[in-house]
Amino acid sequence: MRLIRPFDLAGATKIRVGRPFDGGYVMIDDFASIEAAYSLGINDDVSWDFDIAQRGIDVFQYDHTIDGLPFNDDKFHWSKIGIADKTDGLMASISDLIERNGHSQSRDLLLKCDIECAEWDMLYSVPSSTMAQFRQIVIEVHDLYMLGDPSNANRCRQALANLTQHHAVIHVHANNYGGFRMIGGLMIPNVVELTLIRRDSGPLKPSILQFPTDMDMPCNREWADIYLGSFVYP
């Protein structure tokens, strides 16, 4: 859990991107010179994609579980492809998709990922050089309780290590649909939404915020948000 402790980026301003409640993410307001965005997992919500597209950024969207987008935009590029650790049929690795779209040399991409537990395989196998291409990442990490399962713990830890090798968490929010579990005497949320910034974006220091913040909203508006406090684990 120390791998995903939050930091503050000096001089940064945060904004909310996407719709209220479920589907919106808190990000650093820094989108200048972004070359493209990747949106992994769509379902019925393209509010984040649309907010990014309104900034003049092309959004490459992937979801093999739907037959079309809820609405379209000139900046949207959707494919019925799922995300996996390797390319095979309707599934593809993020590295291969980046190469396919001509972004192999890009250094200022955005990533949004909500792929219902498939993120673990993706993060475990993704090359470090691919992750380093993203300036900002928003990702929903599911089933964190697997960190307490001996059969999964090492793989999950390596996945989080890969996620944070070039990036630092700068915002965290628990999805209140997921609840939490006690692992080793610690309260661990089952599902967290993480925002990460590449470490070369500026000076970072341990965050002094308490989560959720005023910008956060419960994913399920009928239930209270999950209090995370500082989200710093011993």
PDB file of all heavy atoms in Angstrom, residues 45 77 81 99 146 176 179 185:
ATOM      1  N   ASP A  45     -20.479   5.196 -20.608  1.00  0.00           N
ATOM      2  CA  ASP A  45     -20.069   6.528 -20.149  1.00  0.00           C
ATOM      3  C   ASP A  45     -18.852   7.023 -20.914  1.00  0.00           C
ATOM      4  O   ASP A  45     -17.785   6.408 -20.852  1.00  0.00           O
ATOM      5  CB  ASP A  45     -19.762   6.490 -18.648  1.00  0.00           C
ATOM      6  CG  ASP A  45     -19.220   7.810 -18.134  1.00  0.00           C
ATOM      7  OD1 ASP A  45     -19.591   8.863 -18.691  1.00  0.00           O
ATOM      8  OD2 ASP A  45     -18.436   7.794 -17.164  1.00  0.00           O
ATOM      9  N   HIS A  77     -12.213   7.917 -31.251  1.00  0.00           N
ATOM     10  CA  HIS A  77     -11.771   6.832 -32.139  1.00  0.00           C
ATOM     11  C   HIS A  77     -11.966   5.520 -31.365  1.00  0.00           C
ATOM     12  O   HIS A  77     -11.061   5.049 -30.684  1.00  0.00           O
ATOM     13  CB  HIS A  77     -10.303   7.021 -32.533  1.00  0.00           C
ATOM     14  CG  HIS A  77      -9.992   8.394 -33.055  1.00  0.00           C
ATOM     15  ND1 HIS A  77     -10.172   8.757 -34.367  1.00  0.00           N
ATOM     16  CD2 HIS A  77      -9.513   9.498 -32.412  1.00  0.00           C
ATOM     17  CE1 HIS A  77      -9.816  10.020 -34.532  1.00  0.00           C
ATOM     18  NE2 HIS A  77      -9.421  10.494 -33.365  1.00  0.00           N
ATOM     19  N   ILE A  81     -12.277  -3.560 -29.079  1.00  0.00           N
ATOM     20  CA  ILE A  81     -11.084  -4.312 -28.689  1.00  0.00           C
ATOM     21  C   ILE A  81     -10.964  -4.234 -27.177  1.00  0.00           C
ATOM     22  O   ILE A  81     -11.162  -3.168 -26.577  1.00  0.00           O
ATOM     23  CB  ILE A  81      -9.819  -3.731 -29.356  1.00  0.00           C
ATOM     24  CG1 ILE A  81      -9.872  -3.949 -30.872  1.00  0.00           C
ATOM     25  CG2 ILE A  81      -8.551  -4.353 -28.763  1.00  0.00           C
ATOM     26  CD1 ILE A  81      -8.729  -3.297 -31.618  1.00  0.00           C
ATOM     27  N   GLU A  99       1.457   1.517 -30.632  1.00  0.00           N
ATOM     28  CA  GLU A  99       2.228   1.396 -31.879  1.00  0.00           C
ATOM     29  C   GLU A  99       1.304   1.467 -33.088  1.00  0.00           C
ATOM     30  O   GLU A  99       1.609   2.140 -34.090  1.00  0.00           O
ATOM     31  CB  GLU A  99       3.011   0.089 -31.878  1.00  0.00           C
ATOM     32  CG  GLU A  99       3.872  -0.095 -33.118  1.00  0.00           C
ATOM     33  CD  GLU A  99       4.710  -1.359 -33.071  1.00  0.00           C
ATOM     34  OE1 GLU A  99       4.592  -2.123 -32.088  1.00  0.00           O
ATOM     35  OE2 GLU A  99       5.474  -1.587 -34.028  1.00  0.00           O
ATOM     36  N   MET A 146      -6.895  -8.591  -2.893  1.00  0.00           N
ATOM     37  CA  MET A 146      -6.006  -9.657  -3.365  1.00  0.00           C
ATOM     38  C   MET A 146      -4.592  -9.488  -2.823  1.00  0.00           C
ATOM     39  O   MET A 146      -3.805 -10.437  -2.831  1.00  0.00           O
ATOM     40  CB  MET A 146      -5.998  -9.711  -4.891  1.00  0.00           C
ATOM     41  CG  MET A 146      -7.308 -10.176  -5.501  1.00  0.00           C
ATOM     42  SD  MET A 146      -7.193 -10.599  -7.269  1.00  0.00           S
ATOM     43  CE  MET A 146      -6.720  -9.025  -7.976  1.00  0.00           C
ATOM     44  N   ASN A 176     -17.332   3.678  -3.596  1.00  0.00           N
ATOM     45  CA  ASN A 176     -18.135   3.167  -2.475  1.00  0.00           C
ATOM     46  C   ASN A 176     -19.028   1.995  -2.861  1.00  0.00           C
ATOM     47  O   ASN A 176     -19.674   1.394  -2.007  1.00  0.00           O
ATOM     48  CB  ASN A 176     -18.951   4.283  -1.823  1.00  0.00           C
ATOM     49  CG  ASN A 176     -19.991   4.904  -2.741  1.00  0.00           C
ATOM     50  OD1 ASN A 176     -19.945   4.737  -3.960  1.00  0.00           O
ATOM     51  ND2 ASN A 176     -20.929   5.635  -2.156  1.00  0.00           N
ATOM     52  N   GLY A 179     -16.917  -1.107  -1.162  1.00  0.00           N
ATOM     53  CA  GLY A 179     -16.738  -1.354   0.260  1.00  0.00           C
ATOM     54  C   GLY A 179     -15.281  -1.498   0.630  1.00  0.00           C
ATOM     55  O   GLY A 179     -14.390  -0.988  -0.052  1.00  0.00           O
ATOM     56  N   GLY A 185      -5.214  -6.218   9.956  1.00  0.00           N
ATOM     57  CA  GLY A 185      -5.587  -5.176  10.892  1.00  0.00           C
ATOM     58  C   GLY A 185      -5.736  -3.803  10.274  1.00  0.00           C
ATOM     59  O   GLY A 185      -5.962  -2.829  10.987  1.00  0.00           O
TER      60      GLY A 185
END
